[in-house]
Amino acid sequence: MLSFSVPLGKLVRTLSRLRGGGSAFPGLVVEKIDPGFMQRTLASLPLGVAVVSGTNGKTTTTKMVVELLESQGLKVFTNRSGSNFTRGVAASLLGDVDWRGRLDADIAILELDEAHAVHFVNKVEPRFSLLLNVLRDQLDRFGEIDKTARLLEHIASKTTDTVVLNREDPRVARIAAALNTLDAVHHPEIRYFGLDESLRSTFPNDDEMRTTGIGPSPSGTSVAAETGDDVDLPAADVVLRRVGAQDADFEFDDETVTTSMKLRGVYNIFNAAAALSLARAILGTGPVDTPKLVKALGEVAPAFGRGESLTVDGQPLELVLVKNPSGFRLGLKSFPAGGYATMIAINDNYADGRDMSWLWDVEFDSLREDGVEVLTGVRAYDMALRLQYDDVPFGVVEPDITAALRTFIDGSRGKPKRIFCTYTSMLAIRRELAKITIVEVVS
Amino acid sequence: MTSETQPHPEAQSHPEAQPSKGTLRVLQLYPREMNIYGDWGNALVLKQRIKWHGYTPELLEYNVGDEFPDDVDIIVGGGGQDSGQLVIQDDLQARAAQLKQLADEGAPMLVICGLYQLFGKFFKTSTGPIIPGIGILDVETHGTDERLIGNVTMKSAEFGDILGYENHSGQTTLGPGVEPLGTVTKGAGNNSKDGHEGARYNNVVASYLHGSLLPKNPAIADFLIRTAAERKFGTFVPGTPDDGYARLAREHAARRPR
Ligand SMILES: [Zn+2]
């Protein structure tokens, strides 16, 4: 069937690009005139669709899966623009199909926001899904984390081939039980990615945020930590065994492989185990070039703004995106304060979440010794109050990000710098950095 | 923003050198299940301010199945997931008489969100089942499909302006046995109709506000501490906590959209 919708949609896309318009508008047009476009195009892919969802780390993990599959020679379609909506996917597809509507790819790897994933999987059943975690994030939008877990469960129940689950996150691991109640025909295969026991204490979950009197606790948190050992845990397809300064050990197929890692932060590297497990599921029984796969894993760089390192005045400047208590605590743990000048930028715009309660679920003790140079963002004073109660010393409090950034850079010349920032403050900081200095992205 | 005077962080008084004016024991109710949206902040603020007032804080926890400590001076409890409320329900009923007696005798307590609801008479969920409360507060709560979310400011004769953040779908109505904590000037509060927020009975303060509540509302924290000290020692001799950042955080929070 020759359809006019694709040429028309591509034309709209080109025109709206020329006008500098939004990326989703052409998607809207094609959706209106050809509602079956997205399903039809995705259904034509030989390996189908894989979705990546969860609260934290979707963007970097999606990028990793794409790069792992490309290392094996697959052609991959992905929603690179960061659009999480059905319409955004349709718009990205328009960019990649030829004028006849054919997509030259083997598989689509799609990053899906929990809120929109259900709508999407009801339209397009994924062949594979990877469910990363359920953490407290922007609860003012989703209401409750149990509800988020139910959204992920719905994605899993619509998956036709393999569901990859985080063994260490109780709310994600529990999805397996729900899948087992499905009839045999609709029961997807379940795989897990997991952590070595020695690393579990670095992965808090929100139910056990704290223990006696000492504030938010970083320990004793996963399913495994409750049971104390591996015995009660399902076997994992990929296990992250060790994280070093520049490398990591992954165990799969009964062997432990050491690889250098460009990614920083133990939570990013745990997501590398997740990506590896999904890639293995997709590659299935076909030929796998394991050395190439491991090499690709080591070379994955973080996605935009998530633990990336820039160079400012010849010194590294790290931007660490923090958007929920678990992410902030993992960020503090993964990037130790010693030797760094530190700034914290907290905004409360819609994309950051308006509720500031989450700052009180993070323990800032690790910053006590070195202190924090500058606090900024709309809620800089909330952050100051938070640090005051944790006895962490700080210098300048300046809500205006432009002024604060200048003060920070001027005041810490010759020193490596680190900025913990919420989403919209990160965008503002990048904009300002581009004005102040030549920003060179080094990883 | 530069005209605002900023207190120096080092200005905080550290009274460790002086002898303690006495120990105040703060009990957290069910911190394992009921700790959502920064409830730890309230316990931390009590702990630090007790210290800044020159007393010695002792932080205790009570979780399901624990032995209930018999000499506590302040009780604080938070909110939780629906699943968390189910877990603590039976245990809370078993402690109802003790908690009620403490409240009747004037023990200072702060209950937020989920435990505010369970300190009332009942919670009727939107799907039908009724979760019984422990009836310390003359309030009842009805689950709805409407979630009340956003920044809240309110006026209270007792505490001045109170600021926080609400996130609840249960709507609470007050009976004659309690007073509202304040009159809402931004946000919803107890329910979408009555224009008031929280409840007061004896020295029990109940509220839907997270934020956390106590850091930006030190007047409420100090009320709890003063009441506890007076009950225990006959008098309260306050220290001089530095509330400069609390004041600035309040000013900025008050200007934020709903
Ligand atoms: Zn609440």
Side-chain angles (χ1 to χ4, degrees), chain B residues 36-37 79 112-114 166-168 208 210:
Chain B
I36 201 167
Y37 313 122
I112 303 292
C113 203
E166 66 182 329
N167 184 353
H168 55 110
Y208 272 113
H210 303 279

Side-chain angles (χ1 to χ4, degrees), chain A residues 105-427:
Chain A
D106 299 303
I107 187 167
I109 309 291
L110 303 177
E111 170 194 345
L112 287 179
D113 190 296
E114 304 94 295
H116 303 102
V118 168
H119 181 62
F120 177 82
V121 298
N122 285 344
K123 280 189 165 184
V124 179
E125 289 193 345
R127 197 174 294 179
F128 305 92
S129 59
L130 168 58
L131 306 177
L132 294 170
N133 45 51
V134 182
L135 300 164
R136 294 180 192 196
D137 180 24
Q138 302 169 334
L139 278 163
D140 43 347
R141 260 189 270 172
F142 296 121
E144 299 197 0
I145 40 181
D146 288 343
K147 194 170 145 199
T148 310
R150 285 195 296 276
L151 297 178
L152 295 190
E153 190 181 306
H154 186 79
I155 298 173
S157 72
K158 290 284 179 182
T159 305
T160 58
D161 189 314
T162 305
V163 176
V164 182
L165 299 175
N166 180 351
R167 183 180 75 175
E168 316 297 337
D169 183 319
R171 283 194 172 79
V172 173
R174 231 173 267 151
I175 289 171
L179 292 179
N180 285 329
T181 64
L182 295 174
D183 59 90
V185 180
H186 293 101
H187 192 321
E189 194 197 320
I190 299 167
R191 286 193 185 204
Y192 297 92
F193 61 100
L195 275 175
D196 191 84
E197 214 185 324
S198 64
L199 293 171
R200 275 184 199 129
S201 65
T202 61
F203 280 80
N205 99 16
D206 290 327
D207 288 339
E208 306 244 334
M209 198 86 81
R210 342 177 298 76
T211 56
T212 310
I214 52 156
S217 161
S219 64
T221 51
S222 62
V223 175
E226 280 162 24
T227 57
D229 58 23
D230 277 347
V231 176
D232 295 341
L233 289 175
D237 176 54
V238 178
V239 177
L240 175 62
R241 286 292 177 204
R242 184 191 61 88
V243 175
Q246 311 275 337
D247 63 353
D249 292 353
F250 297 91
E251 185 186 294
F252 54 96
D253 296 338
D254 298 323
E255 272 182 64
T256 301
V257 177
T258 301
T259 170
S260 65
M261 293 300 294
K262 269 194 184 166
L263 287 173
R264 303 283 176 76
V266 69
Y267 56 104
N268 277 327
I269 295 173
F270 185 44
N271 286 335
L276 185 57
S277 187
L278 175 59
R280 285 162 53 81
I282 291 166
L283 295 167
T285 49
V288 180
D289 185 335
T290 302
K292 265 192 184 164
L293 199 61
V294 171
K295 188 164 173 280
L297 195 66
E299 284 171 0
V300 175
F304 170 77
R306 284 143 177 100
E308 67 186 340
S309 186
L310 317 166
T311 300
V312 174
D313 286 343
Q315 288 289 331
L317 183 149
E318 285 170 1
L319 290 179
V320 183
L321 178 67
V322 292
K323 50 175 194 167
N324 51 40
S326 311
F328 209 150
R329 290 157 65 204
L330 289 171
L332 289 169
K333 226 177 164 106
S334 299
F335 301 93
Y340 276 77
T342 303
M343 178 164 106
I344 302 177
I346 304 292
N347 275 354
D348 71 346
N349 296 315
Y350 181 75
D352 303 296
R354 293 226 183 273
D355 186 5
M356 282 295 107
S357 304
W358 68 284
L359 294 180
W360 295 87
D361 286 325
V362 183
E363 183 181 52
F364 294 93
D365 292 15
S366 64
L367 298 175
R368 195 173 293 150
E369 198 176 315
D370 294 87
V372 178
E373 272 72 7
V374 179
L375 303 175
T376 187
V378 177
R379 293 291 197 138
Y381 289 109
D382 272 73
M383 192 64 226
L385 190 60
R386 178 69 193 91
L387 293 183
Q388 183 189 359
Y389 275 99
D390 262 359
D391 295 319
V392 173
F394 49 87
V396 176
V397 187
E398 170 51 80
D400 183 73
I401 288 178
T402 307
L405 194 59
R406 281 168 202 274
T407 305
F408 181 56
I409 291 173
D410 288 347
S412 50
R413 292 211 178 274
K415 230 183 153 185
K417 297 171 231 336
R418 183 174 293 135
I419 305 177
F420 295 98
C421 43
T422 64
Y423 185 67
T424 68
S425 61
M426 182 195 73
L427 297 181

Side-chain angles (χ1 to χ4, degrees), chain B residues 64-134:
Chain B
V64 172
D66 287 354
E67 201 161 317
F68 199 88
D70 48 28
D71 52 342
V72 297
D73 303 306
I74 302 176
I75 291 177
V76 56
Q81 300 280 319
D82 291 351
S83 53
Q85 304 214 6
L86 291 175
V87 172
I88 67 157
Q89 203 182 311
D90 292 345
D91 191 88
L92 182 65
Q93 287 301 332
R95 296 295 166 202
Q98 250 167 310
L99 289 166
K100 175 109 175 71
Q101 193 189 340
L102 281 166
D104 289 345
E105 289 169 0
M109 302 186 187
L110 174 70
V111 282
I112 303 292
C113 203
L115 274 169
Y116 169 22
Q117 296 169 342
L118 292 178
F119 265 47
K121 292 192 290 189
F122 61 82
F123 184 113
K124 187 175 183 307
T125 58
S126 55
T127 48
I130 292 180
I131 301 172
I134 57 174

